[in-house]
Amino acid sequence: MHLRVPRPRSLAGQLFAMQAVLIAVVVAGYALFTYISDRGQAQDAAGRQARAVSLAIADSPSVLEAIGSPDPTARLQPYAVRVMRDTDVDFVTIMDPEGIRWTHPDPGQIGRPFRGHIERAQRGQTLTETYTGTLGPSVRAVTPVLDDGRVVGLVSAGIKVEEISKRAQEQLTALLGVAAGALLLGAVGTYVINARLRRHTHGMNADELSRMHDYHQAALHAVREGLLMLDGQYRVALINDGGRELLGVAGDVVGASVADLGLPAQLTGALLASEPRVDEVHLTDRRVLVVNTSPVSGGERRGTVVTLRDVTELQSLMGELNSERGFTQALRSQAHEAANRLHTVVSLIELGRAEEAVDFATAELELAQALTDQVVAAVSEPVLAALLLGKTAQANERGVELVVSRESRLDDGLLPPSLPARDLVTILGNLVDNAVDAAQGRVPSRVTVAAYTEAARGGEVSGTVPAAGGGG
C-alpha cells in the first residue's frame, strides 16, 4: 500500500485562496458595518418621523378644538387612526396633561395612563426616546399641545422597534445581494489572474520556485561555458561568469544592448541575428569562440539564448595530442627498424656468420651515430633533436629521406621564453608530416629541414621545410 503525500498547493492556488478569503472578510466586514450603521440611521429616521408627526398633530387647530370639547375621544380617536394610516407610524396617542389617554390603537387602552416619560412635555418641551409600552419597544416622541402658552394636552407618536428592524433587514438583504455580487466578481477576477499566474509559474509552489532559483544561480556560476540571455529587444537579460570572461566585458551589463558591448562586428551580428546559429567560430581580441544561438519563443519572440565555448584551449590540447601522436609513431618506427636490424644480426649468427653479423651491427651503429651526430650538430635543442630523429626514422619507413640542412643552427638555450618547446614541436612536427606526405611516392623523395634563429628579430625562430621529388 502506497501512501500518497499531498503535493503542496501551487503559488497561484495559495494566492487565490488568500485573495478569496481577503475579499470575503472585506465584504463581510463592510456588510456588518453597513447593517449597524443603517440600523442606527433607521432609528434616527424613525425618531425624526415620530417627532414630525407629533408636532404636526399638536399644532393642528382641529386637535386643540377637539380637546376643548365635552368628549375629546369621540373626535380625536378617528383622527388619530387616519394619521397613523397616512403617516406610516405605529401609534398616535393623544392624552390630557396628566397622561390619561384619549386615543390609542387599542381602544381598550383608552382612559388608562400613558406609559412613558412625559415630564418634559408637561413643562412645554418635546422629547424623543426609546421605551417599552403596551405595544412593545418603540421609538416615540412626546409633544405638548399649547393654548396661549398653557399645556392643555399631550401628543405621542411612535414607531415600533420591530418595524425599524424590519426596515433595516430589508436594507441588509439588498446589501447582502450587492456583497454577494462583489464577492463573486472578485472571485472570478482572482481566478482569471491566478490562472494566468499558474501558467507563468508552471503550477509550482513558492518553495519550488525558491529552490529552482537557487539551482539556477548555482548552475550559472558552476558552468564554465559562457551563457548569455537576451530579451526581445536584444538587451542583456542574464550573463554568467564564464560569459563575462569569454566576451571580455566587465561591470553591470544587464540591461545593456548587445551593440553597446564593444564586441567584434561579426560576433555582434551573430548575436543580433534572428535565425539560430550552430557552432559558428568567431574571433575576439584574445580568444577563438564557438557560438550557438537559439531563439526563445512562446507564441512571440521573447529573446535569445547564447552559449559560448572557448576553443583556444581545445586547439592547444589538440596540438599537444598531435605532437604526442607523432612521438609515438616515431618511436614505433624506430622500434620497428631496430627490431629488423636485431633480427638480421640474430639470423647471421644462427647461420654461423658471426663476422658478417659484427660488421653489419657495427655499420648500423655507425650509421645511427652519424645521423644522431648530424642532427645534434645542427639542432642541439633536446626536444627538437629528439623530434627530428624520430621523424627521420618515420620518413625512412615511408620511403622518404629526411635531411637536416647544414645551415640549421639551433643550440640549446636559444629558444625565446615566449615560444615554449611544446608549441615549437607542434609546429615543426606538422610541417614535417605535411612535407613527408607531399614527397611520398616521388623519385627520389627527400625532405630537407632547416631551423635557425635570427638575432636581428630578437631571437625569433625561422625555418623552412621544402618538400621535393627529385632531390629538392
Side-chain angles (χ1 to χ4, degrees):
M1 178 179 180
H2 297 282
L3 179 62
R4 293 187 61 185
V5 179
R7 184 176 181 270
R9 186 184 295 271
S10 66
L11 178 62
Q14 293 177 7
L15 290 178
F16 175 75
M18 292 174 60
Q19 290 172 347
V21 170
L22 180 61
I23 292 175
V25 170
V26 170
V27 171
Y30 176 75
L32 179 62
F33 171 79
T34 305
Y35 172 73
I36 296 175
S37 176
D38 288 349
R39 183 180 177 86
Q41 292 177 1
Q43 288 182 344
D44 293 340
R48 291 193 299 268
Q49 183 180 358
R51 184 184 181 90
V53 171
S54 63
L55 287 172
I57 294 174
D59 292 339
S60 174
S62 59
V63 172
L64 183 61
E65 182 182 352
I67 291 176
S69 65
D71 188 5
T73 299
R75 298 180 60 180
L76 293 177
Q77 177 67 11
Y79 173 77
V81 173
R82 290 196 303 270
V83 170
M84 285 190 297
R85 184 178 62 247
D86 295 339
T87 59
D88 198 22
V89 296
D90 292 322
F91 68 87
V92 172
T93 299
I94 304 175
M95 65 200 90
D96 64 12
E98 301 300 325
I100 303 301
R101 301 186 185 101
W102 283 327
T103 67
H104 195 274
D106 181 6
Q109 298 294 329
I110 296 176
R112 295 183 179 182
F114 177 77
R115 297 179 62 178
H117 301 93
I118 61 174
E119 292 80 6
R120 290 177 58 185
Q122 289 173 338
R123 294 194 298 269
Q125 300 176 357
T126 300
L127 66 96
T128 302
E129 66 175 354
T130 300
Y131 193 85
T132 302
T134 57
L135 299 178
S138 62
V139 176
R140 60 183 63 184
V142 182
T143 304
V145 179
L146 301 177
D147 184 12
D148 295 330
R150 183 172 57 88
V151 178
V152 296
L154 302 175
V155 178
S156 176
I159 300 174
K160 294 187 291 185
V161 174
E162 178 184 354
E163 185 65 25
I164 297 174
S165 299
K166 186 181 298 184
R167 296 178 184 179
Q169 288 176 355
E170 292 176 355
Q171 295 178 352
L172 178 62
T173 302
L175 176 64
L176 289 177
V178 174
L183 180 60
L184 179 61
L185 182 61
V188 171
T190 302
Y191 176 80
V192 172
I193 294 174
N194 283 275
R196 181 177 179 85
L197 178 62
R198 188 180 298 108
R199 288 196 301 269
H200 286 297
T201 59
H202 301 285
M204 291 188 292
N205 56 44
D207 292 337
E208 291 173 334
L209 288 174
S210 177
R211 187 163 54 250
M212 185 66 66
H213 177 268
D214 294 339
Y215 290 156
H216 176 265
Q217 292 297 321
L220 284 179
H221 293 288
V223 173
R224 293 188 59 187
E225 291 186 347
L227 180 62
L228 182 66
M229 295 186 181
L230 308 177
D231 61 15
Q233 283 72 42
Y234 297 99
R235 296 187 298 252
V236 178
L238 184 146
I239 184 172
N240 69 343
D241 300 338
R244 293 178 183 273
E245 181 180 357
L246 295 179
L247 294 179
V249 296
D252 187 10
V253 297
V254 175
S257 175
V258 171
D260 299 333
L261 297 182
L263 303 177
Q266 290 185 349
L267 179 56
T268 301
L271 298 181
L272 294 176
S274 58
E275 67 276 1
R277 301 296 179 94
V278 179
D279 292 338
E280 284 194 359
V281 178
H282 291 273
L283 300 178
T284 64
D285 295 338
R286 296 179 299 172
R287 300 180 184 274
V288 180
L289 301 180
V290 174
V291 179
N292 287 272
T293 65
S294 177
V296 179
S297 61
E300 58 181 6
R301 181 178 180 84
R302 296 184 178 180
T304 307
V305 176
V306 182
T307 59
L308 307 168
R309 295 199 311 274
D310 184 8
V311 298
T312 307
E313 183 178 356
L314 178 60
Q315 289 180 340
S316 175
L317 293 176
M318 290 180 63
E320 290 187 28
L321 178 61
N322 290 333
S323 298
E324 297 297 332
R325 185 179 299 164
F327 278 123
T328 302
Q329 292 177 353
L331 289 175
R332 183 189 61 79
S333 299
Q334 287 182 323
H336 184 260
E337 186 176 353
N340 290 336
R341 293 169 181 172
L342 182 60
H343 289 161
T344 302
V345 172
V346 172
S347 298
L348 289 174
I349 294 174
E350 289 178 349
L351 293 175
R353 298 182 179 183
E355 293 182 1
E356 295 181 11
V358 172
D359 294 339
F360 178 80
T362 302
E364 288 297 325
L365 287 175
E366 292 176 354
L367 180 61
Q369 187 62 43
L371 177 61
T372 302
D373 293 341
Q374 178 189 359
V375 173
V376 172
V379 180
S380 59
E381 168 63 36
V383 177
L384 295 183
L387 174 67
L388 291 175
L389 287 173
K391 292 296 183 182
T392 300
Q394 186 178 354
N396 289 336
E397 189 178 47
R398 299 175 60 181
V400 178
E401 181 183 3
L402 181 62
V403 179
V404 179
S405 173
R406 297 178 181 272
E407 300 175 357
S408 298
R409 287 293 182 269
L410 196 59
D411 296 335
D412 189 8
L414 291 182
L415 289 180
S418 60
L419 182 60
R422 180 187 65 183
D423 295 343
L424 190 57
V425 165
T426 301
I427 297 172
L428 184 57
N430 289 334
L431 290 174
V432 172
D433 289 339
N434 294 336
V436 171
D437 290 338
Q440 189 176 6
R442 298 186 181 183
V443 180
S445 299
R446 176 182 298 171
V447 172
T448 303
V449 178
Y452 50 88
T453 58
E454 293 183 359
R457 297 186 181 181
E460 293 183 359
V461 177
S462 300
T464 59
V465 185

